Amino acid sequence: MRAWALCLLLGLALAQGRLEAGLYGAPGGLTPALEAAFSLGEGEVYAKGQVGRGALGYLGSLSLGPLGFLAYGVQGEVGEGGVGGALFLEGGAGPVALEGRLGFRPQAALPLFPEASFFGRLALRYRASPKEVLGLEVAQNVPPRPPSFGLQPGWEGAFRLEGSYAFRPEATYTLGLGVSPWPYALLGFKGEVGEEGEVLDLLLRLGGVNRLEAGLYLGEASLHLTLSYPWAGSFVVWLGDLGLEAGYHHAPYAWVRYAWRWP
């Protein structure tokens, strides 16, 4: 048994991997959080955990040659409140791309498990021309931005249906309409704003949802802001593999994390 354990540890040590450690603080106290991922063939096996909850998952991908690509994943969880899990799917073929996520968690556990109850997202994109993209998104209890934007408080429990049209004369401009549960307008901009290739990404929702999401990408560093009404928001700074986040949602919080990657 010890020999098998040593072989397993040696294999993980030699595999390409990532280890991320962090500390989350809120008025209720401090919560350490840990994530680890290792390459396994064409995919990746990962584990993450914090006080009260842990998860084990697998992410894989398939190349479909000239037809496109397909990526998939599965995650199982156990912890306070009971078991949970999630399925992931992403793919593209020709001008069509999709991204899907579906899961259940009996209760949220910040910072690694922010969603609660049933949650999911399905996003479809169709490239009508080299400079035009049509989008449709249906989501429940899932933030709209990728994990680099942090916890993105303010979307908890919200359903949204969003349609968008993006065109790119030089920078990318986005127009759209959504419902969550009341109608709102969507305005976006993404493009270079400096001589060193700095990229500004802005998305504003007005009406039934009032929310600003902004990202500024500066090479190895990036800044991410979310601000919504009723008042909630977060500010995230990435300096290479070091992430610093501060935010407010019913109470202030902070999250510091760092990732080690090898080889």
Side-chain angles (χ1 to χ4, degrees), residues 2-38:
R2 290 182 180 179
W4 280 106
L6 289 174
C7 288
L8 177 60
L9 290 174
L10 180 60
L12 293 179
L14 294 176
Q16 184 177 0
R18 172 180 59 87
L19 178 65
E20 182 176 299
L23 187 64
Y24 174 84
L30 297 175
T31 302
L34 189 66
E35 298 184 59
F38 304 95

Side-chain angles (χ1 to χ4, degrees), residues 110-235:
L110 295 172
L112 298 182
F113 307 95
E115 303 92 349
S117 187
F118 288 98
F119 58 91
R121 177 175 181 262
L122 177 63
L124 299 172
R125 298 189 305 276
Y126 175 74
R127 186 171 296 278
S129 74
K131 295 187 177 183
E132 296 177 295
V133 176
L134 302 175
L136 178 66
E137 179 178 321
V138 182
Q140 169 70 37
N141 200 19
V142 174
R145 288 292 188 153
S148 60
F149 270 74
L151 296 177
Q152 306 171 59
W155 276 109
E156 293 79 358
F159 167 84
R160 70 180 180 275
L161 172 63
E162 233 173 54
S164 63
Y165 168 71
F167 57 100
R168 188 182 60 189
E170 290 184 0
T172 300
Y173 300 89
T174 302
L175 302 173
L177 295 173
V179 178
S180 180
W182 300 103
Y184 61 88
L186 180 70
L187 302 171
F189 167 87
K190 184 175 183 180
E192 293 188 5
V193 293
E195 297 180 355
E196 301 298 325
E198 299 90 346
V199 175
L200 178 64
D201 183 3
L202 295 173
L203 198 59
L204 179 64
R205 294 174 175 87
L206 290 173
V209 172
N210 296 287
R211 185 175 180 88
L212 172 67
E213 299 162 1
L216 181 61
Y217 301 90
L218 309 165
E220 291 295 319
S222 62
L223 310 176
H224 306 274
L225 171 72
T226 61
L227 184 62
S228 65
Y229 181 83
W231 296 115
S234 62
F235 182 65

Side-chain angles (χ1 to χ4, degrees), residues 149-153 234-237 243-247 253-257:
F149 270 74
L151 296 177
Q152 306 171 59
S234 62
F235 182 65
V236 183
V237 178
L244 308 171
E245 177 174 353
Y253 72 87
W255 187 13
V256 179
R257 45 186 163 156

